[in-house]
Amino acid sequence: MQPLATNTPVAIIGAGAMGSGIAQVAAQAGHQVFLLDQREGAAEAGRQSIVQQLQRRVNKGKMEQSALDALINRITPVNELDDLASAGLVIEAIIEDLDIKRSLLTSLEKVCGDDTILATNTSSISVTALGAKMKHPSRLVGMHFFNPAPLMALVEVVKGLATSDDVAQRVYATAAQWGKKPVTATSTPGFIVNRVARPFYAESLRLLQEQTTDSATLDAIMREAGGFRMGAFELTDLIGHDVNYAVTSSVFNSYYQDTRFLPSLVQKDLVDAGRLGRKTGRGFYNYAEGAQKPLPATAEKANSAADTLIVEGDSGPLAPLVKRLAASGLNIIERDGPGRLRFGDAVLALTDGRMATERAANEACNNLVLLDLAFDYAKTTRLAIAVAAQASEQARTDACALLQKTGLAVSQIADRPGLVVMRTVATLTNEAADAALHGVASIDDIDLAMKAGLNYPEGPLRWSDNLGFSLVHTVLTHIQQSYGEERYRPALLLRQNRFAEKGFYS
């Protein structure tokens, strides 16, 4: 399917940050753009905000003044819906209200030609429901940009029940021509990103509520070990807790209170207190002038008399860490075993979803220290550990000393199922697998959406494959057994892959 020709006018309704951003994207692609907002002067203000942002690029030598002038000349503020009659694509980016959007769409049908594509930038309202009152709902499609639209690559192209395949394909091709990375999704609650991402916030919030460690440490673990741009608390402070909590609640209610999407009481308290994050000056962190962000908990330098690392069996995902430890000058002995590392009194293993205390009892290994997952053990700067209640203080000291030999900052957390990064990746994978099973989007598009829309270091389904086809299923099974909750039930597709001994991409 061919994209819209660049000589096809595009109209944007709503001149706020998102609408103005979309207008900029369309104008950059060469379209004449009509920008409409019901608030007097808002369309011109939106146009001027684009000028101000791009002028900074010109001043830094990153854009030619002539290019800025040409782009801005393609954006025309207008005052009436009738001014949009010639547009081939109209994208509404107004308030998230079903009735208001429906009214606008039915009005647009009276103004625009039969071939005009009508798109909604909604992030949470059903495209099917929006089209229900239209005479020709086949022309309606979701075109969900991410903020800021000029910088974020992802566009979710969302098909409602009545959306024409031709319309969806043309919008997909147009988004690609505009330099975006489009993915196709069905109109289900949260689409791809706002559904699959819920565990990223939920698991850190639950770990905080369980007093696993503090928010600064959890964020540092997710950044430095997990490879994520921000931890959950930094990110929700940026998004705004009112917004993030509302999205979680919406998805939770839309899925009939499925506990996978259970909102957090910790976050509700922040909302109730008006501590909404950066925009109010206080959330999980204090943003007042002069306030200092708390440092993550880091183990003090430990000393050990041990100088030999014993590698028992296949170290699996820990292999890059073993290689890194070998490069630190340790003597290495390899022998058969269950995939553990021994150093002094410490016995170290990658978490499999069980608490260290439970696993130590099950495997008759008192001095067990569990290691969290890292995105790249060869480069990570921090690693979380959990120590079995049965372990000696010397075992804890030896484990810290071993990891610190490579320059790693060690964060010891309370003994919780799955630790931090592993638990988060497992639950993200689980939600992604469930979305794929239900036809929300393809495996490729789900992974692309999470990388392009949220800057994840890897798509969760590919990440799961890299860990081995059975590890995530094992981790989830053990976490579910620990809590006895449906929240952690392995998705059917994940379970199927486990017994077929294959990954999502094999």
Side-chain angles (χ1 to χ4, degrees), residues 317-468:
L318 292 177
L321 178 61
V322 172
K323 184 176 181 180
R324 183 172 170 178
L325 289 165
S328 71
L330 287 171
N331 298 318
I332 305 294
I333 296 176
E334 296 183 358
R335 67 190 188 197
D336 291 340
R340 296 174 180 168
L341 309 178
R342 291 183 178 271
F343 185 75
D345 286 358
V347 181
L348 301 94
L350 178 65
T351 177
D352 66 357
R354 288 177 288 178
M355 290 182 289
T357 302
E358 177 184 5
R359 185 169 169 183
N362 291 343
E363 298 180 359
C365 180
N366 285 349
N367 285 335
L368 184 64
V369 177
L370 293 183
L371 306 181
D372 198 5
L373 179 65
F375 177 66
D376 185 351
Y377 284 107
K379 297 179 180 178
T380 186
T381 58
R382 183 176 299 273
L383 197 62
I385 65 170
V387 181
Q390 305 93 317
S392 67
E393 178 59 25
Q394 187 60 52
R396 188 204 70 82
T397 298
D398 287 340
C400 289
L402 173 66
L403 298 173
Q404 289 168 349
K405 286 182 180 296
T406 66
L408 279 169
V410 179
S411 289
Q412 181 181 346
I413 63 172
D415 187 15
R416 303 289 182 262
L419 281 81
V420 181
V421 180
M422 179 67 86
R423 176 169 169 158
T424 303
V425 170
T427 49
L428 286 170
T429 300
N430 205 38
E431 199 54 50
D434 204 57
L437 177 71
H438 294 159
V440 174
S442 69
I443 286 171
D444 283 329
D445 275 2
I446 290 170
D447 272 353
L448 175 59
M450 303 314 289
K451 291 183 69 176
L454 295 176
N455 292 314
Y456 282 8
E458 183 59 273
L461 300 174
R462 177 68 73 182
W463 200 339
S464 176
D465 277 10
N466 292 342
L467 294 174

Side-chain angles (χ1 to χ4, degrees), residues 283-294:
F284 284 108
Y285 302 106
N286 187 348
Y287 298 95
E289 185 177 353
Q292 293 187 348
K293 187 175 179 180

Side-chain angles (χ1 to χ4, degrees), residues 87-221:
L89 169 65
V90 181
I91 305 171
E92 69 82 7
I94 64 172
I95 186 172
E96 285 287 274
D97 183 285
L98 175 63
D99 292 335
I100 294 174
K101 287 181 183 287
R102 274 179 169 173
S103 177
L104 173 61
L105 291 167
T106 54
S107 296
L108 285 170
E109 282 194 296
K110 299 172 184 177
V111 171
C112 300
D114 292 343
D115 293 335
T116 300
I117 296 172
L118 304 181
T120 173
N121 183 56
T122 183
S123 61
S124 60
I125 300 175
S126 164
V127 175
T128 297
L130 286 172
K133 302 295 185 181
M134 294 175 62
K135 290 183 178 179
H136 304 289
S138 61
R139 66 155 99 179
L140 177 65
V141 65
M143 198 174 186
H144 181 210
F145 289 79
F146 287 74
N147 198 27
L151 300 180
M152 297 301 290
L154 183 68
V155 174
E156 290 180 318
V157 178
V158 185
K159 295 178 61 178
L161 192 61
T163 304
S164 159
D165 287 342
D166 286 348
V167 166
Q169 290 168 14
R170 187 171 296 279
V171 166
Y172 182 101
T174 299
Q177 180 176 267
W178 290 1
K180 298 301 181 182
K181 294 181 179 179
V183 295
T184 301
T186 58
S187 184
T188 52
F191 311 142
I192 301 173
V193 169
N194 279 332
R195 172 185 175 173
V196 176
R198 296 342 295 167
F200 180 83
Y201 314 108
E203 293 311 311
S204 282
L205 284 162
R206 183 162 192 173
L207 288 167
L208 183 67
Q209 187 169 348
E210 293 174 349
Q211 302 182 73
T212 306
T213 187
D214 58 84
S215 56
T217 304
L218 287 166
D219 276 350
I221 292 167

Side-chain angles (χ1 to χ4, degrees), residues 244-267:
N244 188 260
Y245 181 77
V247 172
T248 300
S249 298
S250 174
V251 174
F252 175 64
N253 290 320
S254 296
Y255 280 102
Y256 308 106
Q257 289 79 51
D258 190 318
T259 54
R260 296 202 317 276
F261 308 110
L262 185 69
S264 167
L265 291 174
V266 172
Q267 191 171 43

Side-chain angles (χ1 to χ4, degrees), residues 451-491:
K451 291 183 69 176
L454 295 176
N455 292 314
Y456 282 8
E458 183 59 273
L461 300 174
R462 177 68 73 182
W463 200 339
S464 176
D465 277 10
N466 292 342
L467 294 174
F469 67 85
S470 65
L471 180 56
V472 167
H473 180 271
T474 299
V475 168
L476 287 166
T477 299
H478 285 149
I479 295 176
Q480 185 188 22
Q481 289 170 351
S482 293
Y483 286 105
E485 297 178 14
E486 283 291 291
R487 171 176 174 144
Y488 299 104
R489 65 188 184 273

